[in-house]
Amino acid sequence: MSQSLNRKEANKRNRSQINRIVVVLAMLALLTAAFTFSVVRIQSGVSVYLGGLSVWSRAQVEAVRYSELYLQTGDIAHLKLAQKWLEIPIGDMNGRLALESDPISLERSREGFLQGLNHPDDISTMILMFRTMKNAPYMKEAIVAWRSSDDSLIALMELLPKIEKEWSKSPVDMGVLQSLGTQLVRLDEQLTRDAEAFRDRMSTASRTLVLILSVLTVVIFIVLFFISTYLILRLTKSLRHSELKFRKTFENAGMGIAQLDMDGQILEANEAFCKILKFDKKDIYNKSYEQLIKPEDSQQNSPHYKFVKDTRDSVNIESQIICGDGSVARAKINLSMFEQPALNSTQYICIVEDVSEQHRLSVELNRHARQDDLTGLINRRAFKNYLQESLNSAKNDGFVHCLCFVDLDRFKIVNDTSGHIAGDQILRQVAKRLAGKVRKNDILSRLGGDEFALILDNCEPERAVKIAESLRLALTEIPFIWQNKQFNIGCSIGLAPITSKTQNLEELLKAADLACHLAKEKGRDRVVLTYEGDQNVQARRVQYEWISRIRTALENKQFYLDVQKIVSTSARDKVRLEVLIRMLGDNGEAILPGDFLPAAERYGLAHLIDRWVISEVCHILSEHKEQWDTFHTCNINISGRSFDHHDFTEFTLKTLESHNIPGEKLCFEITETAAVSNLSDIYDFMEELRKVGCSFALDDFGTGLASFSYLKQIPVECLKIDGTFVKNMAQDEVDCAMVKAICDIGHALNKTLVAEFVQDQRSRVLLDAMGVEFVQGYFLHRPERFESVLDSL
């Protein structure tokens, strides 16, 4: 073990050393290229400046010449030519000054050098040369000489207007012109001296730089030559060493390795290869790769090495190999092709790993992966595969099968009273009874928990119902025994036919699941068969679709809040606001709660919506504190299903506290039917929320008259008369009488009354006469966004 680790470490060090040598050689090559490039750029820069100096000198001479002609003749054309020529050295001066400014202005420098008639392609070189070499020996002196010409150029530029001014006088003062001519001569002499000084120093700088760079180039190339030679020798030595180590590794490797020629004949093999295939080394060389692979495992009757040759790639195969003693082993094989330039041929490396034991374990694990450990039945994954096969046979061959879902009805009692060990034993007994009732070709599975499923093969629906009834009776009529205790467990069974019209696997599973739910809702312990297009199934399917839409809306913030004003009939009390939830549709349309709340109530999502509404109301109110005094309360509707969750009261209290919302600003509306059916839980919720100042309203009052006897026990301040009585009360005497009766009960109990769905002025007048304190409806106020209403108060 220690020797193996040492070999690995040594191999790692050798590879690392070779990599370092290659990297250093590459870096040397890059360094050489960079240095050569720098030399060329510097020499090019010096040449550019010398070329620019030539243009500068000529422009200076011409500017002076035309200035003298203008001085002598007063010809304005000579003045313009003098100014034009003078712009060239002035531009060079401005280009240099832009580079010497703080901060540097590259754009002004480029404009100046372009004005100096320097070639556009050379300007970048001039700027780079100036910035990098301005303090270099000789170059610094040349720049000083260039800078000394600035005053003369400026003086010449200022002299021309003076000459122009004199020529514009009448009569012309020749004495002044003569004096200006003397100044012009002196400026010409000074500029000539500055140009010669700049030329001399730049030429000296050029010669010096060329000499220095030439010497450095020679030195660097000599150094690079010796370093490269040394590194190449080291690399050659490392490669030889690696080759020897590869040979040793090849012989001592734990995996089987063989070298094949282009026809698959074994040229060389290590000890491990011979051991795996159970061949002597002398015998293995008489074999070809094709002879070692079982024919049925050959890839499309073509040897694997030919496949590698055709694709010019490596291939990994798990195959059965024929051993020297006639036995068959399972092996992982890697084949890769490489070229032998010295032999001008193609060869292959074959690496073999014995995976016979791993394959056996994999088969065993796969069996466990398809089987339910508790009951021995196939599990959900395997069952879905069989179900897909049944669906395919129905679509392709016209067979009719049935999918059967079996859900135990009172199994929770077993776990709750006798523990999970008893529950597991009962599940085994259930599986045994069901297995004894199904036909030979039927497929029974435990999906998980107390759910079982069955594929009734080649079975018409009428026959499937009879079989399902026999299964139900098998579980219902004979009690289950555990430690001298009897348990009567029934089941609800849902059936869905598998026909050529069945859409897909997902729809089939939904149909059977929905049928099972219908069986439970109809009283449990029964069989329900559903067909394609069944109205009950379609209705439930729509509700199922709402489940995912509700979850998506909660996750993606696709809910928002409207509010509707609850208006006082006497105008003495502040307005109240009822919060109304909306969902945003795919096209941005508003979806009303009547579309999605029934599904939320049925499938346990209502409490999530209620929590979102409470959180959002508190959040919005916390951002509109200045409007708190403009309304009485915000009314929030609470689903009865929220009280099934023991932490709902705690959540509500914490939400109010975290947003610092006074309880007096919130009124929770609970429907009459929910209050009656959850009386104890709702009473506890009200007591806790009343402690922080919250109030309560009984919503849809009047729909459940049996609840009147509970009103004294429910601490509500407000009764909301159900809108079905209110909306037509102006036209329907019965509805009007019902509203009057409800008002009398409310007044007797000393409750505040609110009428919903007020549609017209006549209804409002009638309600006012009956003593209703608050009214609500589209006639009075159409719902608006919560924030907008708060801002308008």
Side-chain angles (χ1 to χ4, degrees):
M1 180 71 174
S2 176
Q3 290 179 353
S4 175
L5 290 174
N6 289 336
R7 284 198 300 271
K8 289 181 179 179
E9 288 296 325
N11 288 336
K12 187 176 180 180
R13 284 195 299 272
N14 283 336
R15 287 194 300 271
S16 178
Q17 184 179 17
I18 292 172
N19 289 338
R20 285 198 300 271
I21 291 171
V22 172
V23 169
V24 171
L25 284 172
M27 290 176 64
L28 288 173
L30 289 173
L31 181 62
T32 303
F35 179 75
T36 304
F37 178 76
S38 300
V39 170
V40 173
R41 288 299 299 270
I42 291 171
Q43 290 177 340
S44 174
V46 172
S47 299
V48 167
Y49 270 98
L50 289 173
L53 175 60
S54 176
V55 176
W56 187 94
S57 297
R58 185 188 170 198
Q60 173 255 322
V61 170
E62 292 296 322
V64 171
R65 185 168 73 85
Y66 282 110
S67 296
E68 289 177 345
L69 289 172
Y70 178 58
L71 182 68
Q72 294 168 5
T73 64
D75 187 350
I76 196 67
H78 293 151
L79 172 62
K80 291 182 179 179
L81 288 170
Q83 291 172 335
K84 180 178 178 181
W85 283 105
L86 186 58
E87 285 178 356
I88 295 172
I90 292 296
D92 287 331
M93 179 185 73
N94 290 335
R96 190 200 74 241
L97 290 174
L99 294 175
E100 293 176 337
S101 64
D102 186 15
I104 291 172
S105 175
L106 296 178
E107 184 176 352
R108 285 195 293 111
S109 176
R110 182 176 296 276
E111 290 174 356
F113 287 139
L114 280 172
Q115 183 181 328
L117 294 188
N118 296 284
H119 195 281
D121 295 340
D122 294 335
I123 291 176
S124 296
T125 302
M126 293 178 70
I127 292 173
L128 179 63
M129 180 79 174
F130 187 91
R131 295 182 67 184
T132 57
M133 302 293 292
K134 64 182 178 182
N135 293 319
Y138 301 104
M139 188 68 184
K140 182 177 181 180
E141 296 174 3
I143 292 172
V144 169
W146 183 9
R147 195 179 292 125
S148 66
S149 68
D150 291 357
D151 293 340
S152 299
L153 284 173
I154 294 170
L156 179 58
M157 187 170 59
E158 294 173 347
L159 184 62
L160 289 175
K162 293 178 181 180
I163 297 172
E164 184 181 10
K165 182 178 179 182
E166 286 303 319
W167 273 112
S168 65
K169 293 179 180 179
S170 181
V172 177
D173 189 339
M174 299 306 294
V176 174
L177 288 178
Q178 185 176 2
S179 173
L180 293 174
T182 302
Q183 293 180 39
L184 182 60
V185 170
R186 285 200 300 270
L187 288 175
D188 182 31
E189 292 172 351
Q190 182 61 43
L191 285 170
T192 302
R193 286 194 297 271
D194 291 339
E196 289 175 353
F198 181 54
R199 183 184 296 106
D200 292 341
R201 286 167 176 76
M202 184 58 74
S203 298
T204 302
S206 174
R207 290 192 297 272
T208 304
L209 285 172
V210 168
L211 177 61
I212 293 171
L213 292 174
S214 299
V215 172
L216 280 174
T217 301
V218 172
V219 170
I220 287 176
F221 273 101
I222 291 172
V223 171
L224 291 177
F225 171 76
F226 282 109
I227 292 174
S228 301
T229 302
Y230 170 75
L231 291 175
I232 290 171
L233 290 174
R234 286 283 303 274
L235 180 60
T236 303
K237 183 179 178 181
S238 295
L239 290 173
R240 288 175 181 169
H241 184 64
S242 297
E243 186 177 351
L244 291 174
K245 292 184 72 175
F246 169 76
R247 173 59 54 188
K248 191 173 181 180
T249 302
F250 175 80
E251 292 297 337
N252 299 322
M255 285 188 178
I257 305 175
Q259 188 175 339
L260 316 177
D261 66 13
M262 61 188 305
D263 296 320
Q265 192 71 28
I266 297 176
L267 301 175
E268 195 171 358
N270 66 356
E271 289 294 334
F273 189 87
C274 297
K275 184 177 180 180
I276 291 171
L277 273 77
K278 301 176 184 177
F279 275 99
D280 290 333
K281 204 161 190 177
K282 64 180 186 302
D283 298 328
I284 200 73
Y285 296 133
N286 296 323
K287 298 291 182 181
S288 69
Y289 174 85
E290 191 173 356
Q291 291 176 305
L292 302 176
I293 304 297
K294 287 198 73 174
E296 57 266 31
D297 283 359
S298 168
Q299 185 166 350
Q300 296 179 354
N301 298 322
S302 174
H304 300 140
Y305 65 88
K306 290 185 179 179
F307 173 78
V308 175
K309 182 178 179 181
D310 293 339
T311 61
R312 314 292 291 184
D313 200 356
S314 63
V315 63
N316 291 296
I317 311 145
E318 185 169 320
S319 179
Q320 297 180 88
I321 53 176
I322 303 171
C323 299
D325 61 358
S327 62
V328 176
R330 196 87 185 178
K332 280 186 178 179
I333 302 171
N334 175 271
L335 271 174
S336 55
M337 184 177 69
F338 68 98
E339 301 291 339
Q340 279 279 36
L343 303 176
N344 194 25
S345 67
T346 299
Q347 296 185 354
Y348 303 90
I349 289 291
C350 176
I351 301 175
V352 177
E353 180 185 3
D354 188 356
V355 293
S356 300
E357 181 63 16
Q358 293 96 311
H359 180 71
R360 185 189 67 78
L361 291 173
S362 175
V363 171
E364 186 71 15
L365 287 172
N366 186 54
R367 184 179 66 81
H368 284 295
R370 294 172 54 83
Q371 182 175 299
D372 176 52
D373 292 334
L374 180 64
T375 61
L377 302 176
I378 63 172
N379 60 18
R380 178 185 291 270
R381 179 185 297 177
F383 182 78
K384 289 182 74 173
N385 292 336
Y386 283 118
L387 188 59
Q388 184 63 59
E389 291 178 5
S390 298
L391 181 58
N392 292 341
S393 74
K395 285 181 172 295
N396 299 332
D397 303 321
F399 290 108
V400 176
H401 317 289
C402 278
L403 173 60
C404 176
F405 270 16
V406 181
D407 196 331
L408 303 185
D409 284 337
R410 290 174 287 276
F411 179 72
K412 189 173 183 297
I413 297 174
V414 179
N415 281 334
D416 291 345
T417 59
S418 300
H420 290 286
I421 295 176
D424 289 348
Q425 182 59 36
I426 297 298
L427 288 173
R428 293 189 190 97
Q429 294 180 35
V430 168
K432 187 175 181 180
R433 287 194 191 178
L434 293 176
K437 292 292 182 180
V438 300
R439 302 170 303 167
K440 182 178 180 180
N441 292 334
D442 296 336
I443 298 171
L444 178 64
S445 167
R446 178 178 174 237
L447 301 181
D450 58 354
E451 295 179 343
F452 295 81
L454 175 66
I455 300 173
L456 296 173
D457 185 63
N458 201 14
C459 183
E460 294 290 336
E462 293 76 11
R463 173 64 177 155
V465 170
K466 293 179 180 179
I467 296 174
E469 281 291 345
S470 69
L471 296 177
R472 184 186 67 79
L473 292 174
L475 299 184
T476 303
E477 293 182 345
I478 304 175
F480 292 89
I481 308 297
W482 167 255
Q483 293 183 349
N484 298 323
K485 292 182 181 178
Q486 289 189 358
F487 296 98
N488 294 308
I489 296 177
C491 65
S492 299
I493 300 178
L495 282 171
I498 307 172
T499 69
S500 59
K501 295 182 179 179
T502 304
Q503 294 182 26
N504 51 51
L505 188 64
E506 184 179 352
E507 292 299 321
L508 175 61
L509 290 168
K510 281 183 182 179
D513 191 36
L514 287 170
C516 196
H517 275 285
L518 287 172
K520 285 186 175 294
E521 290 179 8
K522 290 182 177 181
R524 303 176 183 270
D525 195 27
R526 67 191 62 231
V527 176
V528 171
L529 170 67
T530 65
Y531 286 92
E532 192 76 25
D534 187 298
Q535 290 185 353
N536 287 327
V537 174
Q538 293 296 334
R540 293 304 166 83
R541 185 169 294 165
V542 170
Q543 289 192 341
Y544 260 37
E545 291 172 356
W546 276 115
I547 295 175
S548 62
R549 292 190 67 179
I550 291 169
R551 292 189 183 279
T552 301
L554 287 168
E555 292 171 1
N556 298 336
K557 299 180 179 180
Q558 291 175 303
F559 283 117
Y560 68 91
L561 298 179
D562 279 349
V563 293
Q564 187 177 41
K565 294 179 182 179
I566 304 174
V567 183
S568 171
T569 54
S570 64
R572 292 192 303 269
D573 297 311
K574 292 180 181 178
V575 68
R576 304 184 182 198
L577 305 174
E578 181 176 357
V579 176
L580 306 170
I581 189 170
R582 304 287 190 257
M583 180 192 288
L584 281 175
D586 295 335
N587 298 317
E589 73 279 10
I591 301 175
L592 299 180
D595 293 329
F596 58 84
L597 281 184
E601 292 270 359
R602 180 178 295 277
Y603 297 107
L605 299 180
H607 76 102
L608 297 176
I609 295 177
D610 284 352
R611 290 170 193 244
W612 182 88
V613 171
I614 292 170
S615 297
E616 188 68 9
V617 167
C618 290
H619 170 70
I620 293 173
L621 288 179
S622 68
E623 294 185 340
H624 292 78
K625 293 182 179 180
E626 62 278 7
Q627 275 84 29
W628 285 1
D629 291 335
T630 62
F631 63 92
H632 184 270
T633 56
C634 272
N635 290 25
I636 301 175
N637 291 280
I638 300 295
S639 165
R641 298 278 64 81
S642 290
F643 301 105
D644 297 338
H645 299 266
H646 62 85
D647 65 333
F648 183 69
T649 302
E650 181 184 1
F651 165 82
T652 306
L653 289 169
K654 285 185 176 179
T655 304
L656 267 67
E657 181 182 358
S658 65
H659 289 87
N660 198 25
I661 304 298
E664 295 81 5
K665 287 298 169 185
L666 295 183
C667 175
F668 293 96
E669 296 187 10
I670 301 166
T671 63
E672 182 183 2
T673 51
V676 173
S677 52
N678 298 276
L679 188 61
S680 176
D681 293 333
I682 290 178
Y683 183 82
D684 293 340
F685 175 79
M686 288 181 172
E687 284 298 302
E688 292 299 321
L689 269 294
R690 283 171 67 89
K691 291 177 183 178
V692 297
C694 295
S695 57
F696 295 89
L698 199 61
D699 199 13
D700 298 339
F701 184 69
T703 56
L705 297 178
S707 64
F708 283 180
S709 61
Y710 292 98
L711 280 175
K712 293 181 181 180
Q713 303 177 44
I714 302 175
V716 297
E717 291 80 8
C718 177
L719 301 179
K720 298 191 74 174
I721 305 170
D722 187 65
T724 57
F725 301 126
V726 176
K727 64 182 179 180
N728 293 319
M729 64 178 292
Q731 294 81 32
D732 192 311
E733 293 182 0
V734 175
D735 284 346
C736 189
M738 288 291 294
V739 173
K740 179 69 169 62
I742 293 170
C743 288
D744 291 341
I745 295 171
H747 290 143
L749 294 170
N750 197 27
K751 306 293 184 183
T752 300
L753 293 173
V754 178
E756 300 178 299
F757 287 35
V758 177
Q759 303 287 353
D760 49 47
Q761 181 63 26
R762 176 166 170 74
S763 297
R764 180 173 180 173
V765 170
L766 289 171
L767 291 166
D768 191 12
M770 294 176 186
V772 174
E773 289 90 346
F774 290 89
V775 288
Q776 176 183 2
Y778 278 14
F779 171 70
L780 302 160
H781 177 240
R782 299 188 72 86
E784 299 177 67
R785 286 292 182 103
F786 193 1
E787 297 90 335
S788 300
V789 173
L790 287 175
D791 291 337
S792 67
L793 292 176

